[in-house]
Amino acid sequence: MLKSTQRKSANVKDYIRTIVDFPHEGIMFRDVTTLFADPRGFRMAIDQMLHPYAGIRIDKVVGLEARGFILGGAIAHQLSVGFVPIRKKGKLPGTTISQDYKLEYGEAIVEIHDDAIQPGEQVLVVDDLLATGGTAEAGIKLIERLGGEIISCAFIIDLPELGGRKKLEDMGMDVSVLCEFDGL
């Protein structure tokens, strides 16, 4: 972790800590809560995530559960557009559509309200971490089922060894990341 005097010239990666063997043995968890907790680091991350989309029409920002909500809300606010959460099964109160997927260490189902995205809306998908790409792929499928047009997927961290970026790019998605980490 950086000392406060070092943070003036830091990059986003410098604010992210690694937790060994969380949530399972052998996993190197890249913890962005330290980035979120630092006002300069958090502002830097949001500004850098927004930069590639200057001048591009975005109607909605979709955040993937759960840290994508923090990023997505801040980005939607900066763009003055709506925010839409994609949540784990059973967490949204209204009528939803769902998509199952595999993640780095298990399986899950995500959902979106069936009226959250209108056909033709331009959507930016955001999350903190791109690993296998399973969560993002499921989110993309939900958005596309509602008729949304995904302009890009933006992440703070990419774990290139897990192939998520390639998976999304093979689906025709534009992918933007702020930093990469080796390993799982």
Side-chain angles (χ1 to χ4, degrees):
M1 199 40 59
L2 297 173
K3 295 178 184 172
S4 61
T5 57
Q6 295 173 307
R7 289 192 172 159
K8 288 181 182 174
S9 63
N11 63 51
V12 167
K13 191 172 184 176
D14 295 330
Y15 292 92
I16 300 166
R17 71 176 160 192
T18 299
I19 309 292
V20 179
D21 295 330
F22 182 84
H24 303 290
E25 188 173 336
I27 302 291
M28 302 289 285
F29 186 82
R30 308 308 176 170
D31 181 17
V32 294
T33 62
T34 49
L35 170 68
F36 294 166
D38 187 284
R40 184 173 287 137
F42 188 50
R43 166 60 73 184
M44 181 188 310
I46 297 303
D47 288 349
Q48 288 178 13
M49 289 181 86
L50 280 165
H51 182 74
Y53 313 109
I56 296 174
R57 184 183 123 216
I58 297 172
D59 299 309
K60 298 270 176 69
V61 175
V62 168
L64 304 176
E65 178 133 357
R67 290 169 297 278
F69 299 167
I70 297 165
L71 297 166
I75 290 170
H77 173 76
Q78 287 295 106
L79 295 171
S80 297
V81 300
F83 170 76
V84 175
I86 289 185
R87 301 220 51 197
K88 294 177 183 173
K89 183 176 175 66
K91 299 290 185 179
L92 291 171
T95 306
T96 62
I97 61 171
S98 62
Q99 181 69 46
D100 62 334
Y101 69 102
K102 293 181 181 178
L103 62 161
E104 309 84 88
Y105 36 81
E107 294 182 8
I109 297 173
V110 290
E111 297 179 324
I112 188 171
H113 280 128
D114 66 358
D115 60 354
I117 305 287
Q118 300 307 307
E121 284 189 314
Q122 302 290 296
V123 178
L124 174 63
V125 177
V126 299
D127 203 1
D128 66 322
L129 179 85
L130 178 57
T132 66
T135 309
E137 178 184 25
I140 289 164
K141 288 178 179 178
L142 290 171
I143 295 162
E144 289 177 339
R145 283 168 52 196
L146 294 176
E149 298 175 15
I150 298 157
I151 60 150
S152 187
C153 301
F155 304 88
I156 294 175
I157 301 166
D158 181 23
L159 303 178
E161 293 173 35
L162 297 180
R165 183 179 194 138
K166 181 176 180 351
K167 177 186 282 188
L168 298 185
E169 288 173 342
D170 287 350
M171 293 174 66
M173 295 295 120
D174 175 71
V175 177
S176 175
V177 299
L178 301 186
C179 64
E180 296 180 350
F181 282 92
D182 294 329
L184 302 179

